Amino acid sequence: MLRSTALLATLLTISAAPAAAPADTATLEALRAADLRLGAIGYRLATANAALCSDVAPVPGIVVHAIDQYAESEQPAARTAFGFATGVAVEGVVPGSPAALAGLHADDAIVSVNGQPVPVADGAGHVRTRDAMVALIDAQPVDRPLTMVVRRAGSDRSVVIAPSPGCRTLFELRVGTTMDAVADGRLVQISSAFLDKLADPQLAVVVGHELSHNILRHHARLDAARVSRGLLGELGRNGRLHRATEDDADRLGVHLLRNAGWDPQEAVRFWRGPGARIDGGIFHSRTHSSASKRAQLIAAELAALPKGAPIPYRPPVLSTRDQPLQ
């Protein structure tokens, strides 16, 4: 995701920095706060539901970024705000996570992971280096500690992070005013507009729904069924199969919330409240059921939950992920 002043300025409505801070620093700190807020929700959902995921990776509880995610004109300010003694750094650390307990700090520049050097930044305005860094962490064993060498205040130190398996998904903030969210099997991308309008439990409903798409392999299964996207995706068989995947993501998403310690009834309240009032994006496409029907479906899913169901609970809908869409 390219960082630029025009895009970052919108984040000042999400998380305002102290009034005395320079404008550039305030904008970048607002970005950090927004990224970490989404990252913390994603961390909680991904780790609590690791047992439900067929594809797991180390999830230590950090948000990483690379200097070349930022436009060339923004890089001096980014270096001032975030350090970047190497091309990749820790943007934020989820409180209470294994990374936090190991002593990792925001703005630690990352030198290596389990002895493997971090990717080298190569320009400006792209996410290749960030994505390569995420792939490096994802490739490490989930049942062994993660050793990071980080550079802090000019000195290198080794930080050993306890194993923390979770669902393999990158949670990414997309700066914009449109209320939209997508999942492509690898990525969950959430519009920054959600963060301005929703409290964390409500935001977790949206993130959990998108993570459910990845767990249920919906992107790959829609491709295998040759389902069209775009305008044609709302019509006929395309629309029917899209709606089926959306309903299944709602069914699984409520269990992801419960497994992660949120009140699952929050999803019912969301679709009877803010989810029904938000215009545009994922909420008014014919590829999705209406807000009222979504609330009814989720309420029925919760009503069918066995008494005393364990946590984590593996709901029946999980068995569909290897089945072709019909």
Side-chain angles (χ1 to χ4, degrees):
M1 179 172 61
L2 172 64
R3 314 292 202 189
S4 70
T5 301
L7 294 178
L8 294 174
T10 65
L11 285 164
L12 293 175
T13 62
I14 298 172
S15 178
D24 284 347
T25 300
T27 300
L28 291 168
E29 289 299 337
L31 170 65
R32 188 206 302 269
D35 280 343
L36 182 57
R37 185 179 168 202
L38 174 59
I41 291 172
Y43 164 82
R44 183 169 164 180
L45 287 165
T47 55
N49 291 286
L52 278 63
C53 294
S54 58
D55 192 9
V56 296
V59 182
I62 59 174
V63 179
V64 298
H65 60 165
I67 186 62
D68 50 14
Q69 283 180 256
Y70 297 84
E72 188 172 355
S73 62
E74 287 290 323
Q75 289 188 8
R79 290 188 185 278
T80 299
F82 303 133
F84 282 118
T86 66
V88 182
V90 176
E91 185 182 11
V93 182
V94 176
S97 67
L101 297 176
L104 211 61
H105 293 179
D107 298 338
D108 282 345
I110 306 175
V111 177
S112 65
V113 177
N114 285 351
Q116 301 177 59
V118 301
V120 177
D122 62 352
H126 59 77
V127 295
R128 288 193 299 269
T129 306
R130 190 282 311 271
D131 286 356
M133 181 65 210
V134 171
L136 176 60
I137 295 174
D138 283 355
Q140 304 309 308
V142 298
D143 57 348
R144 299 178 190 174
L146 198 66
T147 300
M148 285 191 177
V149 175
V150 299
R151 189 164 297 159
R152 184 187 305 165
S155 298
D156 288 0
R157 65 191 69 198
S158 182
V159 178
V160 180
I161 305 169
S164 181
C167 304
R168 188 195 304 267
T169 288
L170 172 62
F171 298 92
E172 182 180 78
L173 187 73
R174 181 179 59 79
V175 180
T177 58
T178 300
M179 305 292 284
D180 205 1
V182 297
D184 67 1
R186 181 194 69 90
L187 178 75
V188 163
Q189 192 178 74
I190 304 293
S191 167
S192 61
F194 281 112
L195 278 70
D196 195 31
K197 293 182 179 293
L198 303 179
D200 280 3
Q202 298 168 329
L203 185 58
V205 174
V206 178
V207 178
H209 173 88
E210 297 303 327
L211 177 58
S212 295
H213 281 307
N214 285 355
I215 294 173
L216 293 172
R217 301 180 59 249
H218 281 157
H219 193 274
R221 291 165 64 201
L222 285 167
D223 283 349
R226 299 185 178 181
V227 173
S228 298
R229 293 177 170 84
L231 292 177
L232 292 178
E234 299 190 12
L235 305 176
R237 173 180 178 271
N238 294 330
R240 176 175 60 80
L241 292 182
H242 271 298
R243 283 189 295 276
T245 61
E246 296 298 336
D247 288 349
D248 280 352
D250 280 340
R251 289 187 179 95
L252 179 58
V254 71
H255 297 291
L256 301 191
L257 290 177
R258 177 177 178 269
N259 290 343
W262 278 289
D263 178 4
Q265 293 292 339
E266 191 68 47
V268 180
R269 292 190 289 269
F270 176 82
W271 289 112
R272 289 176 177 165
R277 295 192 296 269
I278 296 171
D279 292 328
I282 64 173
F283 299 95
H284 291 276
S285 167
R286 282 177 288 179
T287 59
H288 296 66
S289 298
S290 68
S292 62
K293 287 183 178 178
R294 296 178 80 163
Q296 292 171 10
L297 180 149
I298 293 168
E301 184 72 16
L302 288 172
L305 184 68
K307 185 176 181 180
I311 293 178
Y313 174 67
R314 298 174 62 89
V317 68
L318 201 62
S319 66
T320 67
R321 68 176 159 206
D322 293 319
Q323 299 173 4
L325 293 169
Q326 299 178 356

